[in-house]
Amino acid sequence: RCEAYRIMLSMSGPRTTTSSSPNKPANPPSFYKFDAGALPDELFHADVPAATWLGPAAGVTTTAGPDGFPSNSLNVLTPITRDVDLERICGIALYMLGNVLPFVLPGLAAAALVYGPARMVLYALLAYFGVLYVITHWIFSGYFRRKYRKAGTVGTPPLLTDDMRANQFLYTERNIQKYLCTQYVWPASLNRPRMADGPVIFSVIPHGVAPLGITAYPLWSKLWNDRLCRWTAAPVVLRIPIVGLFMRKVGYVPAKTSHILDVLTKREENVGIILDGIAGMFQARKDEEAAYVTKRKGIVKIALRAGVPIVPVYAFGHTAAWTVVVDPFGILEALSNRCGASLSPFFGRFGWFLGPPRRIPTAVCLGDPIRCPRVEDGEPTQALIDEYHGKMLEGYRRVFDTHKAAYGWADKELHFV
């Protein structure tokens, strides 16, 4: 079936939403949109080329002119099958709990030794985790590996392997794309083959409780160039049992300068970073979007040392997926920032404490690349860092303002903290 798609691909290009007269050639597209959730399952495969994903046979790529896509076209929630819905409800709940348990279990276990109610909470928490684990790994894991393998998707290994590119095609990440109806939008300046010459830094905001819009991992390693994209995470997160192993196997590296430079300059691979990090989840506002980025200049310094472009990315929907409980004294925020992991309570779908996100459409919109010159000798000057940091912030604002109406947020403004 994949071969049939390749044959059909040669017949025409991506679908377009722009218009032209019969006697006049169509204007070249200004923007491209890829509907990741609607990609046919048989094409979710490491060996399928990007041209097939983007071609007309796949039917998931459209284009638009300079004004972008129509209002409310990026926030459409499409129905999904019951099995995908249930797997993501349980799977994400397990993942979120797995991020929290290592930080609360030691204290809770100590309290349980001397305080009866704490013992009951501990038993309940462990039972809750156990039920989610059994459902996710003993029922859904085998079911979806068989389902996607039958559809021709071989990127669903029974266990994580040493092949990071194949690991990025796990069924869990495929189901997230469907659950969130994830769409990706980018300008013509990023379209293939413009970014093929070298690695790229994808710098994403906002973080939210969990930046699930980035978890279509194969897209970052395929759509704009063929280089593996490695995402960054706080070192403490990569040491969490099970969760940390999974993240390392799909390519995550510690969010440290030395590791990022190694990926960019020695491996010559892409890097993805959530710029506002854990601090970003505490910036939720009702009438505006806020991003904690005014002091985040380290990634600019890295880009100047490596001489690679930064692509500003805004992920619409990240801040609406969960409701975060923020204490008025900022204690939980300070502790979370110190630990590099969220310690603040949050509620998701059905009002579920530490549960799965609401089914909110997610639109991941990329801006024009910011071409950073390589500083050959010594360190970049602070003036140069400030200059390109300002360009990055302007890139965020431009991509937000360009696509906010298409997401249904025409009246919202982006505020930098």
Side-chain angles (χ1 to χ4, degrees), residues 268-312:
E268 296 188 338
E269 295 170 337
N270 299 329
V271 166
I273 184 171
I274 310 298
L275 188 62
D276 52 345
I278 291 298
M281 70 177 287
F282 296 94
Q283 307 303 322
R285 316 280 175 86
K286 183 177 180 181
D287 299 321
E288 67 177 2
E289 290 285 284
Y292 188 86
V293 293
T294 56
K295 297 180 181 179
R296 298 294 173 98
K297 301 182 181 182
I299 195 63
V300 177
K301 184 177 180 179
I302 290 173
L304 290 167
R305 289 178 62 182
V308 300
I310 298 174
V311 176

Side-chain angles (χ1 to χ4, degrees), residues 384-397:
L384 189 63
I385 293 172
D386 291 343
E387 176 187 350
Y388 280 87
H389 181 258
K391 291 181 179 182
M392 182 177 66
L393 297 191
E394 180 55 33
Y396 285 130
R397 191 177 302 283

Side-chain angles (χ1 to χ4, degrees), residues 76-307:
V76 178
L77 192 66
T78 57
I80 58 175
T81 58
R82 182 63 59 86
D83 57 351
V84 170
D85 196 20
L86 291 175
E87 188 279 327
R88 283 295 77 200
I89 287 174
C90 295
I92 298 178
L94 177 65
Y95 174 80
M96 303 307 291
L97 186 59
N99 276 278
V100 172
L101 278 182
F103 298 97
V104 301
L105 273 184
L108 188 58
L113 295 175
V114 296
Y115 189 52
R119 192 177 305 117
M120 295 176 62
V121 172
L122 175 62
Y123 292 159
L125 190 60
L126 292 176
Y128 172 49
F129 180 85
V131 169
L132 289 176
Y133 185 87
V134 168
I135 293 174
T136 300
H137 289 274
W138 289 8
I139 299 176
F140 283 127
S141 179
Y143 169 82
F144 276 101
R145 285 202 302 270
R146 290 190 298 271
K147 176 180 178 179
Y148 287 134
R149 191 177 296 115
K150 185 176 180 181
T153 301
V154 299
T156 52
L159 293 173
L160 291 171
T161 69
D162 291 330
D163 185 346
M164 291 181 181
R165 192 176 291 272
N167 291 342
Q168 292 183 347
F169 284 81
L170 287 171
Y171 74 90
T172 52
E173 314 318 297
R174 177 68 181 132
N175 286 347
I176 287 178
Q177 298 162 35
K178 296 178 180 180
Y179 184 88
L180 296 177
C181 302
T182 309
Q183 300 184 81
Y184 287 77
V185 176
W186 64 93
S189 58
L190 285 182
N191 204 46
R192 279 173 169 265
R194 292 174 177 84
M195 307 306 294
D197 292 341
V200 177
I201 296 175
F202 296 106
S203 183
V204 183
I205 61 172
H207 185 284
V209 171
L212 294 181
I214 71 163
T215 57
Y217 297 118
L219 276 68
W220 304 95
S221 302
K222 186 185 287 279
L223 284 187
W224 302 286
N225 61 33
D226 292 321
R227 300 172 189 271
L228 181 72
C229 184
R230 292 174 177 265
W231 288 87
T232 63
V236 65
V237 174
L238 296 180
R239 292 194 294 268
I240 295 176
I242 302 177
V243 171
L245 173 63
F246 164 79
M247 296 178 72
R248 294 193 301 272
K249 287 294 187 178
V250 298
Y252 274 83
V253 296
K256 297 290 186 180
T257 298
S258 58
H259 291 278
I260 296 174
L261 282 173
D262 181 75
V263 172
L264 293 170
T265 60
K266 296 181 180 179
R267 297 177 181 271
E268 296 188 338
E269 295 170 337
N270 299 329
V271 166
I273 184 171
I274 310 298
L275 188 62
D276 52 345
I278 291 298
M281 70 177 287
F282 296 94
Q283 307 303 322
R285 316 280 175 86
K286 183 177 180 181
D287 299 321
E288 67 177 2
E289 290 285 284
Y292 188 86
V293 293
T294 56
K295 297 180 181 179
R296 298 294 173 98
K297 301 182 181 182
I299 195 63
V300 177
K301 184 177 180 179
I302 290 173
L304 290 167
R305 289 178 62 182

Side-chain angles (χ1 to χ4, degrees), residues 63-83:
T63 62
D67 295 331
F69 292 93
S71 296
N72 299 303
S73 62
L74 295 180
N75 66 351
V76 178
L77 192 66
T78 57
I80 58 175
T81 58
R82 182 63 59 86
D83 57 351

